[in-house]
């Protein structure tokens, strides 16, 4: 006996596709969901639709033993025009996508969305980019559906283990900053004005032995610190800590004509799961040191693996934890 009806799915007509597109357009304008999306998620919540999860089989078994039930895969997508600031456009684009994935999770009657993957898609549509979040909506047994479901980049297993330790994932925070070094513009140009940039040009243009590029280093350090300060400010509205999963940094060089020093654009983005935990609380589990003596690559380190590497395709630096 089949658990669910096995009626064949008929392909939609052009008129049906156009009608669904109009429903999506109206729903986005009013910050809601189309009726056919709400119906699908509610059917999954009451067990009348097969559930779909991004969990591995091992994660699913452990999540079930901890009272976590997957409901449905949910997503939030925003194609965003970032116009005058690529960096700040990324920050705002992610916040739009976050609001949309929360709406789907709420329609599914979920407490949280876990294992959220972040994806971007670039195209030749001018200064714009698609920001997409995909994750698994879950319900923790014994808790009512949340009015504002938690969105977390940690997998379901880590989500449960954090709860065991009294660390509650509460959302995703974004911090992004950019600035120019030595930009020759009407207002003198961002961080670098006046004669900024000439020292870097001299040091990189002539052989002067090994030496630090102090001007460029100070400029880059300032941008990274500002991005992390923005991340902390965003996180402060939700919790008291951040498990940062993605950080992206890039410096681009722009020539400014004869006898003018080049300008440098630096930009940095940090994204992570915000957690709330009692300060100074002990870790309830024992932590044992482990040494791997094998000759080959160790599975403990997982070399080469990049999680949630939304910026890995256009990054000029390596991904890594913070």
């Amino acid at each position: 006996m089949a658990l669910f009806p096995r009626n064949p799915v008929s392909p939609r007509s052009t008129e049906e596709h156009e009608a669904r597109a109009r429903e999506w357009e109206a729903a986005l304008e009013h910050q809601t969901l189309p009726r056919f999306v709400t119906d699908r998620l509610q059917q999954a919540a009451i067990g009348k639709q097969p559930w779909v999860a991004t969990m591995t089989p091992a994660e699913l078994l452990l999540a079930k033993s901890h009272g976590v039930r997957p409901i449905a895969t949910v997503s939030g997508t925003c194609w965003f025009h970032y116009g005058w600031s690529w960096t700040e456009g990324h920050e705002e684009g992610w916040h739009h996508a976050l609001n949309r994935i929360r709406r789907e999770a709420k329609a599914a009657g979920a407490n949280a969305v876990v294992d959220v993957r972040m994806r971007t898609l670039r195209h030749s549509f001018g200064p714009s980019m698609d920001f997409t979040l995909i994750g698994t909506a879950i319900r923790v047994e014994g808790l009512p559906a949340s009015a504002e479901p938690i969105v977390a980049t940690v997998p379901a297993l880590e989500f449960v283990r954090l709860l065991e330790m009294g660390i509650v994932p509460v959302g995703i925070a974004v911090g992004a900053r950019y600035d120019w070094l030595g930009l020759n513009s009407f207002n003198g140009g961002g961080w670098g004005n006046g004669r900024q940039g000439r020292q870097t040009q001299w040091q990189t243009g002539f052989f002067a032995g090994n030496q630090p590029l102090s001007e460029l280093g100070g400029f880059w350090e300032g941008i990274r610190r500002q991005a992390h300060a923005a991340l902390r400010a965003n996180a402060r509205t939700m919790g008291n800590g951040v498990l940062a999963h993605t950080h992206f940094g890039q410096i681009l060089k722009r020539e400014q004509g004869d006898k003018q020093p080049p300008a440098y654009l630096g930009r940095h983005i940090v994204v992570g799961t915000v957690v709330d935990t009692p300060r100074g609380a002990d870790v309830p589990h024992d932590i044992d040191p482990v040494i791997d003596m094998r000759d080959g690559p160790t599975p403990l380190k997982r070399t080469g693996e990049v999680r949630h590497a939304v910026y890995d395709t256009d990054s000029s630096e390596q991904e890594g934890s913070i």
Side-chain angles (χ1 to χ4, degrees):
M1 177 180 175
L3 294 175
F4 304 99
R6 292 184 177 178
N7 300 326
V9 178
S10 302
R12 298 189 184 96
S13 64
T14 302
E15 290 76 16
E16 289 174 319
H17 277 293
E18 291 175 348
R20 291 166 73 94
R22 287 193 296 271
E23 283 193 62
W24 261 119
E25 188 174 350
L28 291 174
E29 183 178 352
H30 295 90
Q31 298 189 4
T32 60
L33 294 172
R35 170 53 62 182
F36 60 86
V37 174
T38 305
D39 289 345
R40 171 174 56 81
L41 294 171
Q42 290 178 346
Q43 291 291 305
I46 60 177
K48 291 190 175 180
Q49 286 275 6
W51 51 266
V52 180
T54 57
M55 302 176 189
T56 64
E59 286 179 332
L60 177 62
L61 290 173
L62 288 169
K64 285 176 69 68
S65 68
H66 284 75
V68 172
R69 184 171 73 86
I71 302 175
T73 297
V74 290
S75 64
T77 290
C78 172
W79 198 292
F80 195 81
H81 182 278
Y82 46 82
W84 65 278
S85 171
W86 180 93
T87 314
E88 295 183 4
H90 271 236
E91 186 175 16
E92 194 167 350
W94 283 126
H95 283 297
H96 279 284
L98 279 166
N99 288 333
R100 291 175 184 176
I101 198 172
R102 285 196 192 98
R103 281 181 219 139
E104 290 208 1
K106 184 177 180 180
N111 306 112
V113 186
V114 297
D115 197 22
V116 172
R117 314 293 177 93
M118 311 177 75
R119 294 288 182 269
T120 56
L121 176 64
R122 292 180 295 175
H123 208 284
S124 56
F125 299 157
S128 65
M129 185 177 284
D130 167 72
F131 299 90
T132 294
L133 299 170
I134 300 174
T136 299
I138 64 169
R139 182 182 296 167
V140 181
E141 289 181 359
L143 294 178
S146 175
E148 286 294 334
I150 296 165
V151 179
T153 56
V154 295
L157 176 58
E158 293 179 14
F159 183 87
V160 171
R161 299 180 89 168
L162 287 171
L163 291 179
E164 278 186 331
M165 298 171 66
I167 302 172
V168 184
V170 291
I172 289 179
V174 181
R177 281 294 181 271
Y178 79 98
D179 206 343
W180 284 94
L181 170 67
L183 179 65
N184 184 17
S185 64
F186 294 110
N187 60 6
W191 189 89
N193 51 35
R195 298 180 61 80
Q196 295 288 346
R198 293 189 183 279
Q199 180 184 348
T200 302
Q201 181 190 28
W202 182 84
Q203 288 181 299
T204 57
F206 300 93
F207 177 75
N210 296 336
Q211 59 179 307
L213 301 176
S214 54
E215 181 188 54
L216 194 61
F219 163 69
W220 179 234
E221 181 183 3
I223 291 175
R224 297 182 78 145
R225 288 184 181 279
Q226 290 175 27
H228 281 77
L231 177 79
R232 286 193 292 272
N234 188 205
R236 195 173 295 122
T237 62
M238 295 176 272
N240 60 6
V242 183
L243 305 174
H245 284 254
T246 297
H247 59 129
F248 164 80
Q250 191 176 47
I251 288 187
L252 304 174
K253 181 180 178 182
R254 175 195 284 184
E255 299 293 345
Q256 299 191 103
D258 189 31
K259 297 182 180 178
Q260 293 294 322
Y264 297 90
L265 169 63
R267 50 197 187 191
H268 194 64
I269 299 173
V270 193
V271 184
T273 295
V274 183
V275 296
D276 202 18
T277 179
R279 292 185 183 277
D282 294 332
V283 177
H285 300 291
D286 294 332
I287 299 176
D288 297 322
V290 176
I291 299 176
D292 190 345
M293 303 295 289
R294 70 182 64 203
D295 294 331
T298 171
L300 299 176
K301 191 175 178 182
R302 296 184 179 180
T303 53
E305 179 180 340
V306 179
R307 280 189 53 195
H308 306 295
V310 63
Y311 296 108
D312 64 333
T313 55
D314 54 0
S315 173
S316 60
E317 66 172 20
Q318 294 295 315
E319 288 274 349
S321 59
I322 295 174

